[in-house]
Amino acid sequence: MESDLSRLITEQINERTRDLDQMSALEIVRVMNEEDRRVPLAVEEVLPHVAQAVEAMVETLKQGGHIFYIGAGTSGRLGVLDASECPPTFSADPSWFQGIIAGGDSALRHAVEGAEDDPMKAVTDLQERGFCSRDLLVGLATSGRTPYVIGAVKYAKQVGARTVAVTCNPGSVLGKLSDIPIEVNVGPEVLVGSTRLKSGTAQKMILNMLSTATMVRMGKVYQNLMVDLQPSNQKLEDRARRIIRHITGVTPEEAEDAWLRCDKEVKTAIISLMTGQTPERARQLLRQAEGRVRKALQLANQTSR
């Protein structure tokens, strides 16, 4: 593995911010904003690889596998964050997306020195989660050379699982090892080597795409509405009612009644209202449609003819 970190894009000097320490507060945030504008353009360049990863993730879930994000430091934290937000947003099985960070959960709040340098600990962490050939591993490392993540990807390939890399250094070791390399060139950081900045933003954007697009393709969305959300607080309960009303066109009272009759299952309430079927029949239609609202409505129309 290349030991000369100075060759990495993420470790190079950004000439546009060389006088950072002499800038006013407004000048600092302005130059940071200017640099951040480069991130979505860089992500745009790798969208075909992101889409390829999404299709692999969908196939993995359909075949009974799981998606594992693994990383160290900021990368690891972003992976854990994305995985943790999938169950409430999409009613996804908590095992579908799992985030692992070098150093364990305590590393989410406090730096665990040396954790990212132990490739064998990554193997142990995956084994403890029951990682197997049916699963898919997303290795997150802005440098593309983090030993912990490299060890994880090597182990995943050893057991026959598919691998995705998300890095900010094109041509990296991690990218070369992975089946689907997503390597974004956001350029040198505003603060040299501080990859929680542009690199972290790029990784967050890509993780948003990976999980959201996967859930859309898995039927967790109707139109652009999160019809499979878990109404676990007042805000989400209000959103659930509004979604039902928006799709079906019923009154607030009718939406509330259907929602409660359907045990607060948004998709079931939508199908029941739009087809005139009982909650039980609505659930049956959704099962036949693999959870897809649009397909369930089509099935109901075919049955009524």
Side-chain angles (χ1 to χ4, degrees), residues 195 217 253 260:
T195 53
R217 299 282 286 171
E253 294 76 19
L260 294 175

Side-chain angles (χ1 to χ4, degrees), residues 69-70 74-84 98-100 140 207:
Y69 296 141
I70 195 163
T74 298
S75 298
R77 294 183 186 98
L78 290 171
V80 172
L81 172 65
D82 195 76
S84 68
Q98 301 183 42
I100 301 175
L140 303 163
L207 286 167

Side-chain angles (χ1 to χ4, degrees), residues 7 13 52-53 60 81 93 101 103 126 192 304:
R7 298 184 183 182
I13 300 293
Q52 186 182 358
T60 295
L81 172 65
D93 186 315
I101 181 171
L126 286 172
V192 180
S304 62

Side-chain angles (χ1 to χ4, degrees), residues 67-80 83 97-104 115 118-127 129 131 136-142 146-156 163-167 174 178 203 207:
I67 311 301
F68 285 80
Y69 296 141
I70 195 163
T74 298
S75 298
R77 294 183 186 98
L78 290 171
V80 172
F97 289 87
Q98 301 183 42
I100 301 175
I101 181 171
D118 188 352
M120 293 311 300
K121 186 61 172 68
V123 175
T124 303
D125 289 345
L126 286 172
Q127 290 174 336
R129 298 284 191 104
F131 185 86
L136 181 147
L137 183 73
V138 180
L140 303 163
T142 54
T146 307
Y148 179 83
V149 183
I150 295 292
V153 170
K154 286 183 176 179
Y155 176 72
T163 56
V164 175
V166 181
T167 86
L174 183 63
S178 302
Q203 286 193 319
L207 286 167

